[in-house]
Amino acid sequence: GQNIDQPTEMTATEGAIVQINCTYQTSGFNGLFWYQQHAGEAPTFLSYNVLDGLEEKGRFSSFLSRSKGYSYLLLKELQMKDSASYLCAVRDGDYKLSFGAGTTVTVRA
Amino acid sequence: GAVVSQHPSWVICKSGTSVKIECRSLDFQATTMFWYRQFPKQSLMLMATSNEGSKATYEQGVEKDKFLINHASLTLSTLTVTSAHPEDSSFYICSASSGESSYEQYFGPGTRLTVT
């Protein structure tokens, strides 16, 4: 099984940077995903890491260290619309996703 | 591309009745579909995995006789909640994968089920 931990809540100011950490313990690893989810909506894909290192995509970047079972999602130049829940998910060898509980990010003006 | 729809988007039913939720891949063939359940302020929990033309594989703790899953075609999977009870009230989300070495699961918009 998978054990995935991420902080429950984070608050930041518009224009700032926020880093959401995710640690995992897994019985099989086949990639780590980050999703954004607004209340009452389905998750939307943000990033995917399967090799160690940093993946950058616009204002969002994601980092993975497989040896440490650690990832982070970096959100730069925060905007009000970035207020949402951010889900860390690990995929196992059967292509099943296990999700963390999510981190609620609140962006303040 | 890679659009997944769900119907209905929300449903209210009485305790003891059954509810069917449809999940469709609109512009690709989904060899595998996944069904998740999400309670308020909790994360998505995988309920079952279905492959087209075969029986669904249920996660531990999910009653297969209560949550009937059918994946009859490459673009449609259905989840039927039988004899629904208030504790089944939740947000049900499906996702679909084309299986072509794609790493992504494409999520539907979800169905909000309320059992009274």
Side-chain angles (χ1 to χ4, degrees):
Chain A
Q2 321 282 15
N3 185 22
I4 302 168
D5 291 315
Q6 53 182 125
T8 304
E9 294 180 332
M10 301 184 74
T11 301
T13 306
E14 196 173 15
I17 299 173
V18 69
Q19 177 174 315
I20 306 170
N21 296 323
C22 172
T23 59
Y24 63 90
Q25 294 173 320
T26 176
S27 59
F29 181 83
N30 195 9
L32 187 142
F33 296 76
W34 284 95
Y35 289 87
Q36 180 191 63
Q37 186 180 27
H38 286 98
E41 299 179 9
T44 55
F45 170 80
L46 290 179
S47 70
Y48 167 70
N49 296 72
V50 68
L51 299 176
D52 290 352
L54 186 68
E55 293 284 340
E56 298 187 83
K57 188 185 289 187
R59 293 190 298 115
F60 295 171
S61 303
S62 58
F63 172 83
L64 175 67
S65 170
R66 289 172 296 171
S67 62
K68 295 181 179 179
Y70 168 71
S71 173
Y72 68 72
L73 178 69
L74 196 68
L75 286 64
K76 305 174 190 174
E77 301 171 15
L78 279 174
Q79 302 175 7
M80 299 299 288
K81 66 178 182 180
D82 297 330
S83 292
S85 180
Y86 291 84
L87 308 176
C88 174
V90 175
R91 188 175 67 175
D92 65 16
D94 293 324
Y95 287 79
K96 293 181 185 178
L97 285 177
S98 295
F99 285 82
T103 300
T104 299
V105 172
T106 302
V107 181
R108 293 181 174 169
Chain B
V3 178
V4 176
S5 70
Q6 275 185 247
H7 179 80
S9 56
W10 61 270
V11 57
I12 302 172
C13 71
K14 292 187 176 181
S15 187
T17 61
S18 296
V19 174
K20 180 184 285 188
I21 302 170
E22 293 185 349
C23 176
R24 294 181 184 272
S25 56
L26 299 184
D27 51 3
F28 69 100
Q29 294 186 325
T31 55
T32 305
M33 286 186 169
F34 304 85
W35 286 96
Y36 296 85
R37 181 168 52 180
Q38 185 177 34
F39 292 105
K41 298 193 176 183
Q42 295 185 25
S43 193
L44 281 75
M45 296 298 294
L46 179 65
M47 298 175 67
T49 304
S50 73
N51 293 295
E52 185 264 340
S54 61
K55 290 184 179 180
T57 303
Y58 290 81
E59 295 301 299
Q60 193 172 8
V62 178
E63 300 174 56
K64 62 180 182 180
D65 294 329
K66 180 172 181 62
F67 298 99
L68 302 179
I69 292 172
N70 183 280
H71 192 167
S73 77
L74 285 171
T75 59
L76 173 65
S77 176
T78 60
L79 167 68
T80 301
V81 183
T82 62
S83 187
H85 292 285
E87 57 265 31
D88 297 323
S89 298
S90 187
F91 192 46
Y92 291 85
I93 305 173
C94 73
S95 71
S97 172
S98 65
E100 296 176 355
S101 68
S102 168
Y103 52 73
E104 280 198 56
Q105 289 183 23
Y106 302 100
F107 285 86
T111 297
R112 174 75 58 191
L113 170 63
T114 302
V115 184
T116 62

